[in-house]
């Protein structure tokens, strides 16, 4: 494989996939994306694998995100697997990778998987995910139980001083 200065430049945006995911979570936590204010958990184990980021809206909608720095096809397969329990499922990749993935728009639309790009500053929904009914209702229920447990943990934590602007976010 030949590496060019351009490809090195493109990958320098994020040193690792973990950094990419953490910065994406940071953006979601601000509530300034098209997904609005959400509860967030990362690396949620759903017994057939892990989902990179799982969020829940106040209206109890589950949205799964599979993140990759380069291999969008692998993320696509993982995101499709998440449609078995999540209301919506997305692939999230850097913008230059999203351009390649958009060539397969028909496959994304056929499977109901969405595509997002993230450049470290903004999240763009390039293909909207389809609303999914739960094939694995027990797994959807388990995801909601996970978020409910996070809420319960926050309720029993001792109150922080008034100087603290925001309570700690659990991810």
């Amino acid at each position: 494989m030949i590496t060019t200065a351009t490809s090195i430049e493109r990958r320098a945006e994020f040193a690792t996939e973990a950094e990419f995911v953490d910065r994406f979570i940071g953006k979601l936590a601000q509530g300034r994306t098209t997904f609005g204010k959400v509860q967030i958990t990362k690396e949620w184990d759903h017994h057939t694998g892990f989902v990179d980021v799982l969020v829940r809206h106040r209206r109890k909608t589950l949205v799964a995100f599979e993140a990759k720095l380069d291999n969008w096809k692998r993320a696509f397969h993982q995101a499709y697997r998440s449609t078995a329990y999540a209301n919506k499922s997305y692939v999230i990749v850097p913008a230059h990778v999203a351009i390649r993935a958009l060539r397969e728009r028909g496959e994304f639309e056929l499977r109901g998987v969405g595509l997002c790009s993230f450049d470290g500053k903004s999240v763009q929904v390039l293909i909207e995910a389809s609303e999914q009914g739960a094939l694995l209702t027990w797994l959807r229920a388990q995801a909601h139980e996970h978020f409910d447990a996070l809420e319960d943990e926050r309720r029993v934590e001792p109150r922080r001083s008034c100087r603290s602007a925001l309570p700690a976010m659990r991810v």
Side-chain angles (χ1 to χ4, degrees), residues 101-122:
L102 274 171
R103 294 181 195 139
E104 299 296 331
R105 175 182 282 279
E107 194 65 25
F108 278 85
E109 291 172 346
L110 178 67
R111 306 284 181 222
V113 174
L115 175 65
C116 297
S117 68
F118 178 57
D119 63 6
K121 296 177 186 142
S122 66

Side-chain angles (χ1 to χ4, degrees), residues 25 38-45 53-56 60 62 141-158 160 167-171:
I25 287 172
V38 293
Q39 293 173 290
I40 305 165
T41 193
K42 86 176 195 184
E43 292 293 321
W44 185 66
D45 182 358
V53 179
L54 185 63
V55 304
R56 181 171 77 169
K60 305 298 185 193
L62 296 169
Q142 196 171 57
H144 284 297
E145 288 170 9
H146 174 77
F147 280 108
D148 292 344
L150 291 177
E151 284 179 356
D152 291 344
E153 283 179 29
R154 278 193 214 115
R155 283 189 203 114
V156 298
E157 283 181 357
R160 301 193 188 282
M169 178 185 76
R170 294 198 186 275
V171 291

Side-chain angles (χ1 to χ4, degrees), residues 117-129:
S117 68
F118 178 57
D119 63 6
K121 296 177 186 142
S122 66
V123 178
Q124 291 193 335
V125 177
L126 304 173
I127 300 173
E128 183 64 46

Side-chain angles (χ1 to χ4, degrees), residues 23-34:
R23 288 179 63 190
F24 171 60
I25 287 172
K27 193 66 173 172
L28 285 172
Q30 293 173 356
R32 294 185 181 148
T33 68
T34 58

